[in-house]
Amino acid sequence: MSILRALAVSLLVSVPSAVSLTAAAGEVAKSEPLVIEAQGSFAVGGSVIATPGTYANDQPTAAGQTLHGDHLYAFYQVPTQPKALPIVMLHGAFQSGRSWETTPDGREGFQTLFLRRHFPVYVVDQPRRGRAGNSTVEMKIEPVPYDQLFFDQFRLGIWPKYFDDVQFDRRPEALNQFFRSVTPNTGPYDAQVIASSMSDLFSRIGQGILFTHSQGGGPGWLTAIRNPNVKAVVAFEPGSGFVFPEGEAPATMPSAAGPLPAETVPLADFQRLTRIPIVIYYGDNIPTEPTTRRGEDNWRVRLAMARLFVKAINAHGGDARLVHLPEIGIRGNTHFMFSDLNNVQIADQVAGFLAEKKLD
Amino acid sequence: MSILRALAVSLLVSVPSAVSLTAAAGEVAKSEPLVIEAQGSFAVGGSVIATPGTYANDQPTAAGQTLHGDHLYAFYQVPTQPKALPIVMLHGAFQSGRSWETTPDGREGFQTLFLRRHFPVYVVDQPRRGRAGNSTVEMKIEPVPYDQLFFDQFRLGIWPKYFDDVQFDRRPEALNQFFRSVTPNTGPYDAQVIASSMSDLFSRIGQGILFTHSQGGGPGWLTAIRNPNVKAVVAFEPGSGFVFPEGEAPATMPSAAGPLPAETVPLADFQRLTRIPIVIYYGDNIPTEPTTRRGEDNWRVRLAMARLFVKAINAHGGDARLVHLPEIGIRGNTHFMFSDLNNVQIADQVAGFLAEKKLD
């Protein structure tokens, strides 16, 4: 870690001038510059709502006008010598595609790390979030102060103290960047709206691998059920929307963060999740016994539910695996393991899985 | 244009599979792949609001919690052999950094075109927009149907008919992409909040060139006034916030789109705009005489006000220029000339200006 941390220091310190940014970034990159064959962005999916009436060019009102909304936004990059299957990265709650771009301490995120491994990468803003902000349903956005709860719930520590072993840079600017990665919903959260546009994305780009984070887990399973172009799912700390066949759902799990219900889908839908490799990662500092601290207890039940989900998939003949990182000796990871200090080590884990499943 | 259009067709048609996307994009790129030394994103500027009280880890409420908001988001890429001055791109109303990434018909936007010319590029989402969505002030987002007004106001034509010579791909998917590039404010629009974070960005990255579009024009002038690291401004169809020295403001201009007032700043502030080269571009199909059609008439007064603005800067010893593209024989440009069918020609114009001013 010490080399990575030293490089991160040089990056942050040298950012004030573009020239030194280049120099510092060159150091971090070490290996080669990125060679990109194509990059760009587009919208996919969504719907159109219309107001009855006739549009008047000289006195425009809502009458006769339409609104395009509920699409997702994707930024793509295709490296040279691309692997056959691209990776689609779907963020979690209160986040955007920015989750995958850069770490809070300024190092490369999974977007760039997997481009270096020659995967085409699509980074998504889900419908009603970030650059895909146009919603067909209204919503009031209020400046609710969440920082301290997020510190707890995303397992940086127990506010105001970091966990001793946490894989998070403790300089104030890293925490500032972390808090400023938060961005609100611009319409009501709707897993089906998200899954619909994600399925449209896979119809557009063809076969690929789906990475999900946290709240993105639920729409992720629904996307894999909808579209056979999803050839594998790598889920980082899925937080809700665990699906089970009808009649096989486990009991709702109570926690200090509220009850976590299992969700159900028809057996035929569930069986689609048994036809692709699935891996789920959870990080460190998740309590094994109930606690009154909401941020921590939230993950106790989610990890437990994920274990039952994996068991159900495999009981139906599937190929799912849950990796609880501390059990394989990887310590200190937060809820954002893909941007933690050891995110290259995490990328190695994921790349190993993809290689094992012959997906690279 | 015919080659560009043919390539655009091949890109759109072949997008469904990642493999053919690569091939098609390779054709569009023609020249070389992009070679990127560093890329990533960060937040800059903004403020922190706090709720009085003490945060309780086991019963979190707003008490004792903070919210980080009103920052901007920037995605940067540094090419190999970078020029000394990076370009910062600030979008307009109802838009995000996506404006600069890709054209509605799937070709490369200014982000990539200027990377190819070896400028480091920072693409911004302004505070309270896109991925910089956290606002310290609440706001209700309503799904107001705007599409037909935007078609008029962004000068694709007079709904439902395109202008005969318009530099916009007429296939339905291009218009779909155009409408879906729209994304709402997530807090009240505030030019000073934007200028504040933009100035912080220039303090962080050092000297650079500022590109603005439409509504971004106003905060752009304020940024150049605040921060001497802004070494030039290239403004595409600035739409509001034209500043004049106190006592020298022209009269408010009435139009079918409402009155356009001039704004004033202290003379000392205005003089800062006389110390850097400034170029302002307007496209085609702007009426010269008043019309009752709101979308068109909007630009008649803005172009007129921009002419007075340029005149005022030069009268105070500055170096400003207004380029009305039809006057130099470039026809059919919409409000989004940087993503129009002839956007490479527009990029050539801008690059010529930067070379003339020895900014490249």
Side-chain angles (χ1 to χ4, degrees):
Chain A
M1 286 322 308
S2 61
I3 292 175
L4 272 178
R5 292 192 70 138
L7 291 170
V9 171
S10 78
L11 181 61
L12 275 174
V13 168
S14 62
V15 154
S17 114
V19 174
S20 52
L21 173 62
T22 312
E27 286 165 25
V28 172
K30 277 294 184 208
S31 47
E32 302 295 307
L34 286 169
V35 186
I36 303 294
E37 286 285 355
Q39 66 176 23
S41 64
F42 55 82
V44 67
S47 56
V48 181
I49 58 175
T51 310
T54 303
Y55 174 70
N57 306 82
D58 52 1
Q59 290 221 311
T61 63
Q65 294 211 63
T66 57
L67 171 82
H68 286 60
D70 295 352
H71 47 268
L72 63 74
Y73 157 91
F75 181 78
Y76 67 88
Q77 292 180 294
V78 181
T80 49
Q81 303 168 316
K83 295 186 188 285
L85 295 182
I87 296 171
V88 175
M89 300 182 179
L90 174 63
H91 57 77
F94 299 101
Q95 292 283 305
S96 67
R98 190 188 161 193
S99 288
W100 310 98
E101 290 174 345
T102 301
T103 69
D105 51 297
R107 292 170 297 109
E108 292 181 347
F110 264 27
Q111 176 187 44
T112 302
L113 292 178
F114 279 88
L115 284 166
R116 292 200 178 286
R117 292 165 197 252
H118 290 278
F119 289 93
V121 174
Y122 291 75
V123 173
V124 167
D125 287 0
Q126 74 188 22
R128 307 178 183 174
R129 190 82 61 80
R131 290 174 169 178
N134 254 13
S135 165
T136 61
V137 182
E138 72 176 24
M139 174 145 174
K140 187 173 181 185
I141 299 180
E142 294 177 281
V144 179
Y146 276 136
D147 291 342
Q148 284 65 28
L149 174 59
F150 285 164
F151 185 94
D152 284 358
Q153 184 148 333
F154 298 152
R155 301 204 317 283
L156 278 56
I158 298 167
W159 180 268
K161 192 178 171 303
Y162 286 98
F163 289 124
D164 284 341
D165 59 357
V166 72
Q167 297 276 4
F168 192 90
D169 190 301
R170 298 190 191 195
R171 281 167 302 165
E173 176 57 11
L175 189 59
N176 179 54
Q177 288 293 323
F178 183 76
F179 286 147
R180 293 186 187 283
S181 70
V182 170
T183 200
N185 284 324
T186 57
Y189 175 82
D190 186 326
Q192 293 292 349
V193 166
I194 298 165
S196 172
S197 66
M198 287 291 290
S199 177
D200 290 340
L201 175 62
F202 276 95
S203 293
R204 174 170 170 158
I205 69 174
Q207 297 184 347
I209 300 159
L210 174 58
F211 285 13
T212 67
H213 180 222
S214 195
Q215 187 187 62
W221 312 130
L222 299 178
T223 303
I225 288 170
R226 282 173 183 248
N227 199 317
N229 281 342
V230 178
K231 288 301 170 193
V233 178
V234 178
F236 300 97
E237 299 212 348
S240 58
F242 296 99
V243 292
F244 293 83
E246 286 165 359
E248 298 182 32
T252 293
M253 295 182 175
S255 82
L260 175 65
E263 298 186 11
T264 59
V265 292
L267 178 61
D269 284 357
F270 184 83
Q271 282 171 332
R272 297 188 185 184
L273 297 178
T274 67
R275 294 176 197 145
I276 55 173
I278 290 173
V279 63
I280 301 176
Y281 294 95
Y282 282 89
D284 203 352
N285 294 305
I286 297 175
T288 50
E289 298 300 321
T291 159
T292 59
R293 287 188 296 263
R294 172 174 159 175
E296 278 178 282
D297 211 42
N298 184 68
W299 298 107
R300 180 181 59 80
V301 291
R302 280 159 174 78
L303 174 54
M305 187 68 84
R307 289 194 198 278
L308 298 181
F309 174 64
V310 163
K311 202 170 164 183
I313 291 173
N314 291 337
H316 283 270
D319 175 16
R321 181 187 306 174
L322 189 147
V323 180
H324 186 203
L325 293 173
E327 292 173 18
I328 59 169
I330 300 178
R331 296 273 168 194
N333 279 106
T334 74
H335 183 53
F336 287 73
M337 64 185 74
F338 45 80
S339 59
D340 279 346
L341 289 171
N342 63 339
N343 69 335
V344 173
Q345 183 182 26
I346 304 300
D348 287 342
Q349 286 288 322
V350 174
F353 173 82
L354 297 178
E356 178 193 327
K357 301 301 178 186
K358 304 194 189 316
L359 294 164
D360 68 344
Chain B
M1 288 320 310
S2 60
I3 292 176
L4 271 179
R5 294 192 67 138
L7 292 170
V9 170
S10 80
L11 181 61
L12 274 175
V13 168
S14 62
V15 156
S17 114
V19 174
S20 52
L21 172 62
T22 312
E27 286 166 24
V28 172
K30 277 293 184 209
S31 48
E32 302 295 306
L34 286 170
V35 186
I36 302 295
E37 285 286 356
Q39 67 176 23
S41 63
F42 54 83
V44 67
S47 56
V48 180
I49 58 174
T51 311
T54 304
Y55 174 69
N57 306 82
D58 51 2
Q59 290 221 310
T61 65
Q65 293 210 64
T66 57
L67 171 83
H68 287 61
D70 294 352
H71 47 268
L72 64 73
Y73 157 91
F75 181 78
Y76 66 89
Q77 292 181 291
V78 181
T80 49
Q81 304 167 315
K83 295 187 187 285
L85 295 182
I87 297 171
V88 175
M89 300 182 179
L90 176 62
H91 57 77
F94 299 100
Q95 290 283 307
S96 67
R98 191 189 160 189
S99 288
W100 311 98
E101 290 174 345
T102 302
T103 70
D105 51 298
R107 293 169 297 108
E108 292 181 347
F110 266 26
Q111 175 187 44
T112 301
L113 292 178
F114 279 88
L115 284 167
R116 292 200 178 285
R117 292 163 197 252
H118 290 278
F119 289 95
V121 174
Y122 292 75
V123 173
V124 167
D125 285 2
Q126 74 188 23
R128 306 177 183 175
R129 191 82 60 81
R131 291 174 170 178
N134 254 13
S135 165
T136 62
V137 182
E138 71 176 26
M139 173 144 175
K140 187 173 181 185
I141 300 180
E142 294 177 281
V144 179
Y146 277 135
D147 290 341
Q148 285 64 29
L149 174 59
F150 286 163
F151 185 94
D152 282 359
Q153 183 146 333
F154 298 152
R155 301 203 317 285
L156 277 58
I158 299 168
W159 180 267
K161 189 176 175 305
Y162 285 98
F163 290 124
D164 283 342
D165 60 357
V166 71
Q167 297 277 4
F168 192 91
D169 191 300
R170 298 190 191 196
R171 281 166 301 165
E173 176 59 10
L175 189 58
N176 178 54
Q177 289 293 323
F178 182 77
F179 285 147
R180 294 186 187 283
S181 71
V182 170
T183 200
N185 283 325
T186 57
Y189 175 81
D190 186 326
Q192 293 293 349
V193 165
I194 298 165
S196 172
S197 66
M198 287 292 290
S199 177
D200 290 340
L201 176 61
F202 276 94
S203 293
R204 174 170 170 157
I205 69 175
Q207 297 182 350
I209 300 158
L210 175 59
F211 285 14
T212 66
H213 179 223
S214 194
Q215 187 188 63
W221 313 128
L222 299 178
T223 303
I225 288 170
R226 282 173 183 247
N227 199 316
N229 280 341
V230 178
K231 289 300 169 195
V233 179
V234 179
F236 301 97
E237 300 215 349
S240 59
F242 295 98
V243 293
F244 293 83
E246 286 164 0
E248 299 182 33
T252 292
M253 296 182 174
S255 82
L260 175 66
E263 299 187 13
T264 60
V265 293
L267 179 60
D269 284 357
F270 184 82
Q271 283 172 331
R272 297 190 185 183
L273 297 177
T274 67
R275 294 178 196 143
I276 55 173
I278 289 173
V279 64
I280 300 176
Y281 294 95
Y282 283 90
D284 204 352
N285 295 305
I286 297 175
T288 50
E289 298 300 321
T291 159
T292 58
R293 288 188 295 263
R294 171 174 161 174
E296 278 178 283
D297 212 42
N298 183 70
W299 298 107
R300 180 182 57 81
V301 290
R302 280 158 176 79
L303 173 55
M305 185 69 84
R307 290 194 198 279
L308 298 180
F309 174 64
V310 163
K311 202 169 166 185
I313 290 173
N314 292 337
H316 284 270
D319 176 17
R321 182 186 307 173
L322 190 147
V323 180
H324 186 201
L325 293 173
E327 293 173 18
I328 59 169
I330 300 179
R331 296 272 169 196
N333 280 106
T334 75
H335 184 52
F336 288 72
M337 64 185 73
F338 45 81
S339 59
D340 279 345
L341 288 172
N342 62 340
N343 70 335
V344 172
Q345 183 181 26
I346 304 300
D348 287 342
Q349 286 289 320
V350 175
F353 174 82
L354 297 178
E356 176 193 328
K357 300 302 177 185
K358 304 197 191 313
L359 294 164
D360 67 344

